[in-house]
Every structure is written in structure tokens, then in C-alpha cells.
Amino acid sequence: MTLHGSAVALDGEGILLLAPPGSGKSDLVLRLLEGGWRLVADDQVALRRSGDALLAAPPPALAGMLELRGLGLVSGLAWAEAPLHLVARLQPEEAIPRLPSPETWEADGVRLPLVALDGRAASAPARLRAALDVARGRLGMVAGALAA
């Protein structure tokens, strides 16, 4: 299954970024790469199930590429397939509740926690790291999108 989105990984733990074209996915990916994350895929993400996991990778024609709006399509970036642990839907801050209820996203029978995030916010990379830490059990959450 291939879908429109981007994916990144930190220490082998992947996050799928979903949003319409022009909403800042590639810009957020660029900022995450500067912070030590690894590119999985930009613009198109190929998903496949492996056991209980959903693996993300780029379609072969787009492997190692990142679109930098206003500059062009950069190639030759390091990339890696990664199991997904979280899905982030990018949307404007005003559309995101202060304390959202938990949501999930599902593909090929694999259900993943879903968070809403303003990808253009300066804090977006730190919020994604925190959300991944909560989703993986390294941090707790008392109330909100990932509360148990």
C-alpha cells in the first residue's frame, strides 16, 4: 500500500506524517533530520505488514529524496525502512484541541496511536519526540491524545 505522506525514524522507531500537499510535511522532515532523525520517505510512503508491525519505506523511485519547496528535489540522503509506532496528522494549531481524546489510525489490520500536530510550530520536533516517547512507554501521559 502506498499513500501520500512522509515518514521519519528516531533510533529505528518510525512516525508517519499525514497531511495534504503543501502543508509542511517536507519542511518538518528537514527540521527533524537536522535533529538527528533519519529519513524514511518523503511525499509517498510504501507500507507493508510484517507480523504485528507496519513497516514504512519509500517507493524505490523516491528513495533518499526530499522535496525542499523553493529549492527543488534533493537526492542522495541516507534513508532506512522503519516500523511505525505513531501517526501524526499535521494541521493548523487552531484545529487541535488543547487536551484531545485518544485516537488511532489503522492500515492492513495494524492499529497505531494518532496525534494531531501543527507541523509548522517551532516546537513540532520536540512534540514528536515526546509523543514517540509516550507511545513507546518511556514517558507517561495523564490526559490527552496518548493517555491510557
Side-chain angles (χ1 to χ4, degrees):
M1 164 191 333
T2 301
L3 52 90
H4 181 81
S6 295
V8 291
L10 184 62
D11 299 327
E13 298 175 338
I15 297 179
L16 177 63
L17 305 173
L18 298 176
S23 58
K25 292 181 302 298
S26 298
D27 182 75
L28 178 55
V29 169
L30 180 63
R31 289 185 285 141
L32 291 166
L33 295 179
E34 290 293 311
W37 293 66
R38 165 102 7 134
L39 175 67
V40 174
D42 183 51
D43 193 49
Q44 298 287 316
V45 182
L47 302 177
R48 69 178 173 84
R49 187 174 178 153
S50 177
D52 291 337
L54 196 58
L55 300 178
L62 298 176
M65 294 185 184
L66 177 65
E67 181 185 347
L68 301 178
R69 188 173 294 267
L71 291 178
L73 189 59
V74 175
S75 64
L77 296 169
W79 66 276
E81 180 179 73
L84 295 175
H85 296 284
L86 182 68
V87 177
R89 183 177 348 134
L90 304 186
Q91 53 191 83
E93 181 180 355
E94 58 273 7
I96 302 170
R98 184 172 175 188
L99 286 174
S101 299
E103 292 185 58
T104 59
W105 181 87
E106 186 174 340
D108 204 11
V110 177
R111 187 171 293 189
L112 297 168
L114 172 71
V115 297
L117 179 79
D118 179 358
R120 297 184 191 274
S123 64
R127 287 180 192 221
L128 272 182
R129 182 184 292 259
L132 183 59
D133 283 343
V134 172
R136 299 298 289 150
R138 292 184 288 269
L139 290 175
M141 182 168 281
V142 176
L146 300 170

